[in-house]
Amino acid sequence: MTARPIRIGNCSGFYGDRLSAMREMLEGGGLDVLTGDYLAELTMLILGKDQLKDPTLGYARTFVRQVEDCLGLALERGVKIVANAGGLNPAGLADRLREVAGGLGLDPQVAHVEGDDVRHLSFEGALTANAYLGGFGIAAALGAGADIVVTGRVTDASLVVGPTVAHHGWTSTSYDELAGAVVAGHVIECGTQATGGNFSGFLTLPHRDRPLGFPVAEVAADGSSVITKHAGTGGAVTIDTVTAQLVYEIQSTRYLGPDVTVHLDALRLDQADEDRVAITGVVGEAPPERLKVCVNELGGWRNSVELVLTGLDVEAKAAWVREQLGPRLSAAEVVWSDVTVPALDAESEEAASTLLRCTVKDGSPDPVGRAFTSAAVELALGSYPGFTMTAPPAAATPFGVYRAEYVDRADVTHTVVHADGRREVIDDPTGFTPDQDAPGARPSPYPGRTDSLTRRLPLGTFVHARSGDKGGDANVGLWVAHDGVDRETYDARVQWLFKMMSPRGLGSLLPEAADLETDVWLLPHLGAVNLVIHGLLGQGVAASTRFDPQAKGLGEWLRSRLVSIEESLV
């Protein structure tokens, strides 16, 4: 008899997400498992800095507060809790949770997953170096009766893969089924981004007066799933909101994970009902031979000041303050922002102003500390008219440098420490090296259409976007909106988008990326294009000097760019 679908909710998309979400998800409807994703590349750096101050830390402390508030409710309702909140210290978090439970008079079975810390593998001097583990350790812990499983650096989707493996009894070669769980996990891992958060079509969202609901994935035995949310919560689950998360921070059409490689160009979406999107047709194959490692190193020190330029002659004012401040700066790297001239005859002082930002970086704190801030402040009465800053100068802060590395699976010991202290080593599957040029790896674009009368309109007229960071690379997912047009017009819009997003023509749309290598991947079943802009973010979010260091607004800038759109498509 086929097992019923497992119902998995999410209550966190990052370290700092809505604190009340765990209780909201437990009270809002039936669940088998509640997951929480607390880790990102930047979070690992933050936790590493925590451990420099206190070696007993290194985990997401907000998760402890959530569990303290909700543990009794979760146990009463039979909901398992699975989270990667262990960060750099899953054992320490597990111990802390046992203390909290004891104080509440409760005795849950708490297990943890470790083995991701690989600083000993040629990463000496790194602040953090953590391999991305898969979901089979979580599955083993749940299979042994754990009520709570906390992990270190597993992939975000593994928080869903583990419970589905335990529930459905899949093996390491159940590739299509595992791929389906990875896709479901990828959709819900960032919390409300699947229900309308950071969604370029936010104006169409219902119930925006309520907090957006966190997502739920119902994963069936064949790996297909339905994405939904608890009734009465804000936002919506539609093909567009799900697509927004599917194309978020991916690389090519193959989504590589420690348990399986997913063919994103094979899956299909269907609006099964209100706030219910079905995901079917997911295809998987063996995972890659090596495991990805997130490495963070302390890169140096940084600081910045933001100057306000108001009214007339702002370009000349910017040039003068740069001439004055520049010779006094000794930092290894000095970056000035561009200046945008405000409109004449503005009706408010703020509208008549623009900002000039100076960012400095150095291997030592001295050139970017008081030497920098004092030089800026001393100009206050002797520079351009209207000299002011948006905030008082601050002390220098350390920054980290992220890079991705890869290690052999045999060098990583994926280990579960069960509630009774028993240690179990998880056998990882043998993978293969994906060939991105293999047949089917790049879907062929639709044939071009004969041009007709065109209008200059924003790209976002009928195209949605979602963007983010992958180390120093920026990802932008673009897809044609499901806005009620007929199928012929929708297909024609997809053809137009595929023509528009050619690597050769992107330089005019994204001038800042004109000299950078850009990959363009087509996802015809989703009507989507994924762009990978290599090097736009420099050495990653913690070291970037860009205005938008995580590329969160990059997609919205792209949507605002004017393009020629055929009249028949509007």
Side-chain angles (χ1 to χ4, degrees):
M1 183 176 179
T2 302
R4 65 171 179 80
I6 182 173
R7 190 171 162 90
I8 304 173
N10 170 282
C11 69
S12 176
F14 69 101
Y15 188 11
D17 211 340
R18 197 159 80 220
L19 199 63
S20 61
M22 182 176 286
R23 176 164 289 276
E24 292 168 15
M25 291 299 289
L26 289 170
E27 293 180 339
L31 295 173
D32 297 304
V33 178
L34 183 59
T35 65
D37 176 17
Y38 294 80
L39 302 184
E41 294 156 359
L42 179 61
T43 312
M44 302 303 281
L45 177 66
I46 293 170
L47 296 177
K49 291 179 180 178
D50 281 351
Q51 278 201 320
L52 288 177
K53 301 173 185 176
D54 184 348
T56 67
L57 297 178
Y59 52 79
R61 284 174 279 177
T62 54
F63 176 72
V64 177
R65 293 169 59 191
Q66 290 175 304
V67 171
E68 186 171 21
D69 175 56
C70 299
L71 180 56
L73 179 60
L75 293 173
E76 176 185 327
R77 300 199 171 190
V79 179
K80 308 288 188 179
I81 297 176
V82 178
N84 60 12
L88 301 176
N89 188 10
L93 175 58
D95 288 340
R96 182 73 184 99
L97 293 177
R98 294 185 187 101
E99 290 178 15
V100 167
L104 297 171
L106 301 172
D107 186 26
Q109 299 296 295
V110 181
H112 73 271
V113 177
E114 61 186 27
D116 56 299
D117 187 344
V118 293
R119 280 175 292 183
H120 61 285
L121 297 178
S122 303
F123 300 117
E124 292 183 12
L127 180 62
T128 71
N130 297 82
Y132 288 82
L133 303 181
F136 279 86
I138 296 170
L142 292 172
D147 298 305
I148 303 175
V149 183
V150 292
T151 75
R153 180 69 277 189
V154 299
T155 66
D156 302 343
S158 293
L159 301 174
V160 169
V161 173
T164 54
V165 167
H167 181 77
H168 292 302
W170 298 335
T171 70
S172 62
T173 57
S174 302
Y175 294 138
D176 290 349
E177 294 87 345
L178 290 170
V182 168
V183 169
H186 177 53
V187 171
I188 73 170
E189 70 192 27
C190 290
T192 57
Q193 281 197 168
T195 63
N198 291 336
F199 175 45
S200 55
F202 73 98
L203 290 173
T204 66
L205 284 177
H207 312 306
R208 282 191 291 151
D209 57 327
R210 309 172 190 169
L212 296 183
F214 277 72
V216 175
E218 299 170 355
V219 187
D222 63 355
S224 63
S225 63
V226 172
I227 307 301
T228 184
K229 66 183 183 72
H230 287 333
T233 56
V237 179
T238 68
I239 290 177
D240 284 329
T241 65
V242 171
T243 301
Q245 184 57 28
L246 277 173
V247 299
Y248 180 61
E249 293 184 349
I250 59 175
Q251 296 289 316
S252 70
T253 58
R254 290 187 178 185
Y255 193 54
L256 307 182
D259 295 321
V260 68
T261 297
V262 181
H263 287 259
L264 292 173
D265 51 352
L267 65 88
R268 295 178 182 272
L269 303 181
D270 178 62
Q271 190 77 47
D273 205 340
E274 183 179 1
D275 290 328
R276 292 182 65 83
V277 171
I279 305 176
T280 58
V282 185
V283 174
E285 63 184 14
E289 286 185 340
R290 311 189 82 201
L291 294 177
K292 183 180 177 181
V293 178
C294 169
V295 179
N296 281 298
E297 298 174 336
L298 293 177
W301 298 78
R302 66 185 296 166
N303 208 342
S304 64
V305 294
E306 202 166 50
L307 307 166
V308 182
L309 311 174
T310 304
L312 303 177
D313 306 318
V314 294
E315 291 172 310
K317 292 171 181 174
W320 189 25
V321 76
R322 288 182 63 167
E323 291 170 4
Q324 291 177 304
L325 187 56
R328 297 193 58 182
L329 303 182
S330 60
E333 182 177 354
V334 179
V335 179
W336 292 87
S337 67
D338 294 328
V339 171
T340 300
V341 178
L344 285 174
D345 197 25
E347 295 188 359
S348 70
E349 181 179 343
E350 185 172 356
S353 302
T354 190
L355 300 177
L356 174 67
R357 187 176 60 259
C358 180
T359 302
V360 291
K361 294 165 61 178
D362 199 274
S364 167
D366 296 334
V368 299
R370 185 174 296 276
F372 167 63
T373 56
S374 294
V377 170
E378 288 169 7
L379 292 175
L381 303 182
S383 188
Y384 65 87
F387 184 105
T388 188
M389 299 180 183
T390 57
T397 57
F399 70 88
V401 175
Y402 161 84
R403 73 177 188 274
E405 295 285 355
Y406 298 87
V407 297
D408 293 334
R409 288 174 177 270
D411 292 333
V412 177
T413 306
H414 186 171
T415 304
V416 179
V417 182
H418 292 283
D420 60 3
R422 178 173 56 90
R423 302 179 67 85
E424 179 182 356
V425 175
I426 303 301
D427 293 329
D428 272 339
T430 300
F432 84 119
T433 303
D435 179 3
Q436 300 289 10
D437 296 321
R442 290 177 181 262
S444 299
Y446 287 117
R449 302 173 68 243
T450 302
D451 288 339
S452 59
L453 179 65
T454 64
R455 295 166 57 187
R456 294 290 285 173
L457 294 168
L459 177 65
T461 299
F462 54 74
V463 174
H464 288 307
R466 171 70 64 76
S467 58
D469 63 305
K470 276 292 184 184
D473 300 338
N475 270 97
V476 185
L478 301 162
W479 71 99
V480 173
H482 294 79
D483 57 3
V485 298
D486 59 71
R487 185 70 197 192
E488 182 179 356
T489 302
Y490 173 83
D491 288 343
R493 286 177 170 182
V494 172
Q495 293 180 36
W496 174 86
L497 178 64
F498 283 11
K499 280 177 29 179
M500 176 66 62
M501 292 298 120
S502 67
R504 184 171 55 187
L506 276 173
S508 60
L509 280 174
L510 293 173
E512 295 178 3
D515 298 327
L516 300 175
E517 179 184 351
T518 300
D519 298 331
V520 180
W521 297 92
L522 309 182
L523 299 162
H525 293 328
L526 298 177
V529 178
N530 185 59
L531 312 178
V532 183
I533 306 170
H534 295 279
L536 183 69
L537 307 180
Q539 294 177 301
V541 55
S544 178
T545 57
R546 281 183 59 83
F547 169 71
D548 177 20
Q550 289 185 280
K552 296 295 188 182
L554 185 61
E556 288 303 292
W557 174 41
L558 185 54
R559 289 182 70 242
S560 73
R561 299 286 286 164
L562 295 180
V563 294
S564 296
I565 303 179
E566 299 165 27
E567 180 80 21
S568 61
L569 301 183
V570 179

